[in-house]
Amino acid sequence: WSDLLINGIVAGLGGIIIFVPQIMILFGLITILEDTGYMARISFLTDKLMRKVGLNGKSVMPMISAFACAVPAIMSARNIENKKERLLTILVTPLMSCSARLPVYTILIALVIPQKMIGGIVSLQGLVMMGLYKLGIVLAMAISWIAKWFIQNKDKSFFILELPMYRAPRWKNIFTTMIQKAQIFVFEAGKVIMVISLLLWAMSSYGPGERMAQVEAEFAAKKAAQPEALEELEKAEASAKLANSYAGILGKAIEPAIEPLGYDWKIGIALITSFAAREVFVGTMATLYSVGDSDDESGLLLREKMQQEKKSDGSPVYSLATGLSLMVFYLLAMQCMSTLAVVKRETRSWKWPMIQLAYMTALAYVMSWLVYTIAS
């Protein structure tokens, strides 16, 4: 019950509440831009470029906002009047690298990219990070250009707006908008997030009775024999339980499908659990490698253990090819239940979230396979 409360309910609530400050700050800044008269000018300046890929000048603000978080970015797409352009914006916005991807990028870049300077000025690790951001932008434009031929809409798109005078923002209006947007997210998208969070907790906490009983009996004997190593044994037990849980079994079941990308069953478990939120990847890996919470010290220990991990043929699991492939997968895959919940709310249908999940997963798989094949 305590595990359900802490890792199920509290973690689920945390997954909702963690986005509230971002949503309020982002909508506050957007409202300031609108009130001062600059938002219309941004849309005007970018409209010509955006129209070439089927979007609208007003699409640029949601896409820029998505570098912080796709959830408020998708909500801000409401100011696009044309239904087709609004839908295209919603479909490609999650391809921008949000802040939740940063923990994954940083640990993988530190793991497989050497610390060296190019020309004594530019960091190679920094270039890889920048490349991931640019790849997301380019692919978002490309996907939008392709999708515009499949999404039919008889409404013609006109970009007509009045360029308002520059003026001081109305602060009361800004604070009211911030509170309203936060309430909409918490009470609407929050319901779906909680359900999926509890489902993922159950999959990670429970497994076939015989397997879990065997793990508990094995570690009970070890704890009795080695009381001085209790902390390490508890970490190892948590790792063994996760490996034998339903999430662990599913991770091992999908191993043949993800093996062409260079991944093993442990990465498979992380891919499943991080559907709750991408940053969960690091915590799952910390549990699987028995290093506890991912603070600075254990983060270094986690990288060391991941570097030492070997395949059955003796080659390292986390080679350059695997690391790059995994970064590209997390860049492109829809590993965020909060985003799907908000897309469902904005489109009032499960059709478009499912299409988004399918195309982003397929794109992530194909691109990761290409990167792994080329880098190998």
Side-chain angles (χ1 to χ4, degrees):
W1 283 106
S2 62
D3 194 42
L4 169 63
L5 180 64
I6 295 166
N7 295 319
I9 296 171
V10 173
L13 288 171
I16 299 166
I17 294 168
I18 194 171
F19 290 111
V20 172
Q22 297 182 59
I23 289 169
M24 293 183 73
I25 292 167
L26 193 55
F27 274 106
L29 293 173
I30 288 170
T31 309
I32 289 172
L33 287 173
E34 288 175 345
D35 268 15
T36 55
Y38 191 66
M39 179 70 84
R41 289 162 173 82
I42 294 173
S43 300
F44 175 76
L45 289 169
T46 56
D47 183 65
K48 188 175 180 180
L49 171 64
M50 290 296 181
R51 283 192 179 277
K52 291 179 180 179
V53 296
L55 297 173
N56 185 294
K58 294 179 181 178
S59 301
V60 72
M61 282 311 296
M63 293 176 74
I64 291 172
S65 304
F67 285 114
C69 178
V71 171
I74 288 168
M75 291 168 67
S76 69
R78 290 179 188 176
N79 67 345
I80 303 170
E81 293 85 1
N82 184 275
K83 185 179 178 181
K84 177 179 177 178
E85 291 168 349
R86 182 169 65 251
L87 186 56
L88 283 171
T89 304
I90 288 171
L91 288 176
V92 302
T93 291
L95 290 169
M96 305 294 107
S97 283
C98 65
S99 57
R101 290 175 169 101
L102 283 174
V104 183
Y105 290 168
T106 50
I107 193 166
L108 291 173
I109 287 173
L111 196 63
V112 301
I113 306 298
Q115 285 186 342
K116 70 176 185 178
M117 305 297 286
I118 296 175
I121 302 172
V122 182
S123 164
L124 178 60
Q125 293 182 335
L127 280 176
V128 171
M129 179 77 82
M130 185 179 72
L132 291 167
Y133 277 79
K134 288 188 176 291
L135 180 61
I137 297 169
V138 170
L139 287 174
M141 295 294 189
I143 293 296
S144 178
W145 183 80
I146 294 167
K148 74 176 183 178
W149 302 105
F150 294 94
I151 299 174
Q152 301 300 321
N153 185 24
K154 294 179 181 178
D155 297 337
K156 288 191 175 180
S157 173
F158 299 98
F159 188 75
I160 301 171
L161 76 157
E162 179 184 355
L163 291 180
M165 296 286 290
Y166 282 118
R167 63 187 180 209
R170 295 166 292 179
W171 296 106
K172 184 179 179 181
N173 181 43
I174 292 166
F175 290 119
T176 302
T177 304
M178 290 167 69
I179 292 168
Q180 287 176 345
K181 298 297 185 184
Q183 286 177 336
I184 288 168
F185 172 72
V186 169
F187 292 108
E188 296 295 332
K191 298 172 188 174
V192 180
I193 295 169
M194 275 300 298
V195 170
I196 300 175
S197 179
L198 290 170
L199 180 62
L200 287 170
W201 169 82
M203 288 178 63
S204 303
S205 302
Y206 291 96
E210 291 182 5
R211 286 194 183 193
M212 301 302 272
Q214 186 177 350
V215 170
E216 288 176 359
E218 180 185 338
F219 278 93
K222 287 182 179 180
K223 287 175 185 177
Q226 305 172 46
E228 71 284 354
L230 185 61
E231 187 178 346
E232 293 300 318
L233 286 171
E234 283 179 349
K235 291 178 184 177
E237 184 179 9
S239 174
K241 282 185 174 180
L242 180 57
N244 286 279
S245 68
Y246 291 116
I249 292 167
L250 189 55
K252 291 174 182 176
I254 66 171
E255 188 173 22
I258 61 176
E259 198 172 354
L261 310 181
Y263 309 160
D264 62 0
W265 65 271
K266 291 183 179 179
I267 297 175
I269 295 175
L271 294 179
I272 293 165
T273 57
S274 62
F275 184 73
R278 294 178 181 95
E279 63 268 29
V280 174
F281 170 85
V282 180
T284 302
M285 283 296 170
T287 301
L288 285 168
Y289 287 100
S290 307
V291 296
D293 297 327
S294 54
D295 54 23
D296 290 341
E297 184 179 342
S298 59
L300 291 170
L301 181 58
L302 176 59
R303 285 204 295 273
E304 289 173 7
K305 289 204 171 188
M306 289 171 76
Q307 281 174 337
Q308 294 165 5
E309 187 76 357
K310 302 291 182 184
K311 295 181 182 177
S312 55
D313 61 1
S315 61
V317 170
Y318 296 94
S319 61
L320 174 63
T322 301
L324 292 174
S325 171
L326 198 52
M327 280 185 264
V328 170
F329 189 91
Y330 269 91
L331 166 66
L332 302 176
M334 175 52 84
Q335 296 286 99
C336 183
M337 64 181 181
S338 306
T339 303
L340 287 174
V342 168
V343 173
K344 188 265 177 185
R345 187 190 179 281
E346 294 298 309
T347 60
R348 295 183 174 87
S349 167
W350 277 110
K351 173 187 172 182
W352 294 109
M354 292 302 100
I355 289 173
Q356 193 174 42
L357 177 63
Y359 101 75
M360 289 183 70
T361 303
L363 178 65
Y365 190 93
V366 172
M367 289 295 293
S368 299
W369 176 79
L370 284 172
V371 168
Y372 180 74
T373 304
I374 294 167
S376 295

